[in-house]
Amino acid sequence: MKLTRRDFLVANSAALLATQLPGPLAAADASAAASAKLAKDGGPRAVTGKPGVRVRWDAREKAQLAAAVDQPSLFYWAGRGANKQTALFIERFKQYCPREYVATCSSGTAALHIAIAAAGIGPGDEVITTPITDIGTITGILFQQGVPVFADLGAATYNLDAKSVERCITPKTKAIIAVHLTGNPCDLAPLKALADQHKLILIEDCAQAWGAKYRGQPVGSIGHVACYSLMDSKHIGAGDGGVVASSDPKIGPALIKFSDKGNERTTPGYTWDKTAVLASNYRMSELQAAFAAVQLERLEGLAAKRATLGRALIEEISNLPSVIPPDLHAADRGTFWFFYFRLRLDKLRGTRAEFADALKAEGVICAAGYIPVPVYKLPYFQQHSFFAGRWPIKELGLTTMDYTKVTCPEAEAILTTGINCTLHEGMDEAYIREVGAAVRKVAKHFAV
Ligand SMILES: Cc1ncc(COP(=O)(O)O)c(C=O)c1O
């Protein structure tokens, strides 16, 4: 970065002034000048505290795993009499997110595929969703021969914008997948209203939002289907795993079938020959269920902590001309799987990468951006080449979708202007307030 005359004056004026002032004021001003100097330029780091450690599991998980190992079988079903872990997990999940039918499965991706299949999505059916998400949100739509349709997002919620969703609705639309990105609840009321009006299935992808609440209710309890991930990096986990849940009398009973090769498991033995659906094996074992059942007991504590820290950080970085903090509704609880804020690059000298590097030097654990491009820009979308280089439903004329023509300007801007900060329950508020001070310091330094 080139040093302009203005940079020089900003960096040196307080120090110059300090030399002309007598006594303690001079000292205070000199120290203000020193602390305004970026750590990357040799100034003091804004973050002096330690981020703390996430205690993710301990003797309680070990004890529950031992109880599972004492069972005669580790299969999730086996009558659910002798095998207790999946039943325990489901019981606790229902306490957390009251849904009538709950199925465990092997991943969040599996949960979403099961949801799409159980919702009856078939060849050419359109499913509206977000272009900023893990690919696991999307693969199930494609495997069921549906068509992902990408709507644009709120500038600082990073979640589906209901108006954009409405513009995407066609006679072929069958479902909406609302992803609660970063742990910030989507505005579900207008999405539910659209779903009701157009008879669409609303699927909530809660993979990043364990413990988050929309107007006081747990995410996953408002749409027709809830999908959660227990993948290792999530708020709670089991190494891998997933949960899919519904209270819909048509969808709910189909969840087990689509997670277990078509079996209904209402009677001992196989039933896939009678249920006649093509479904994969997405089962989760008793070992993962045992582990996850204990993880669920930890959830409220860690979710509450993340919610408090996230709100504190929003407060710290609000009212800066060059920073757009995440937009979390006052009545909602965000649980910050990560903390994402945006830069107004027109209000800054320098690039996002320079901003992120300066923040890192201050001691903030962060990175520029999230996923590299919106999902529709991935090569196999641009080439419509999902299945061995082909996309049969397009060849058959069941869709005219052309991903080379799709643009979601806000989503693209979110990805090119965002900074992704690590936030977790091992951190304390003093540390998070220092992270806020670091953002303010760097923003001030780069301000135009
Ligand atoms: C929003 C979202 N949806 C779906 C998934 C897929 O979950 P899994 O990795 O358990 O398959 C993830 C995982 O990162 C995710 O973040």
Side-chain angles (χ1 to χ4, degrees), residues 146-369:
V147 181
V149 174
F150 295 101
D152 212 349
L153 309 178
T157 61
Y158 325 127
N159 286 331
L160 282 180
D161 170 43
K163 289 206 171 61
S164 178
V165 170
E166 189 168 18
R167 285 193 292 274
C168 293
I169 294 174
T170 73
K172 289 181 160 191
T173 308
K174 291 282 156 41
I176 301 169
I177 303 182
V179 177
H180 304 292
L181 202 78
T182 77
N184 188 13
C186 284
D187 192 1
L188 291 166
L191 294 177
K192 185 72 178 21
L194 280 178
D196 290 346
Q197 191 189 337
H198 297 273
K199 300 202 171 17
L200 312 175
I201 308 286
L202 178 60
I203 297 169
E204 292 181 60
D205 178 345
C206 311
Q208 300 188 3
W210 281 103
K213 289 187 180 163
Y214 177 72
R215 313 294 133 94
Q217 287 176 263
V219 293
S221 64
I222 289 138
H224 298 94
V225 196
C227 299
Y228 278 87
S229 164
L230 288 162
M231 182 257 177
D232 192 55
S233 73
K234 297 297 187 288
H235 296 76
I236 60 169
D240 253 319
V243 199
V244 55
S246 178
S247 294
D248 186 286
K250 277 211 214 90
I251 298 173
L255 299 178
I256 293 274
K257 272 201 280 194
F258 283 104
S259 61
D260 192 359
K261 296 189 284 186
N263 289 300
E264 282 178 332
R265 301 279 174 205
T266 44
T267 50
Y270 293 121
T271 50
W272 56 263
D273 49 337
K274 297 176 197 71
T275 51
V277 295
L278 179 66
S280 193
N281 174 356
Y282 282 150
R283 295 185 305 241
M284 184 167 104
S285 85
E286 283 274 279
L287 288 173
Q288 287 159 294
F291 197 93
V294 183
Q295 291 273 294
L296 266 181
E297 291 201 309
R298 297 180 187 275
L299 176 58
E300 180 48 34
L302 65 88
K305 181 83 181 287
R306 283 184 186 235
T308 305
L309 295 180
R311 285 257 184 226
L313 190 47
I314 291 177
E315 194 182 289
E316 289 290 321
I317 66 169
S318 291
N319 305 317
L320 295 170
S322 59
V323 169
I324 309 173
D327 178 6
L328 170 60
H329 192 281
D332 291 347
R333 177 161 89 167
T335 52
F336 299 90
W337 187 50
F338 59 96
F339 187 100
Y340 197 79
F341 66 92
R342 288 180 65 183
L343 300 177
R344 291 201 48 184
L345 294 169
D346 58 324
K347 305 273 184 205
L348 291 167
R349 300 168 295 119
T351 64
R352 173 177 66 163
E354 286 167 327
F355 195 104
D357 285 346
L359 265 186
K360 283 183 211 162
E362 296 298 333
V364 177
I365 310 167
C366 67

Side-chain angles (χ1 to χ4, degrees), residues 143 380 383-392 395:
F143 278 123
Y380 57 93
Q383 292 153 20
H384 307 103
S385 60
F386 305 110
F387 298 98
R390 301 173 64 178
W391 195 19
E395 292 175 16

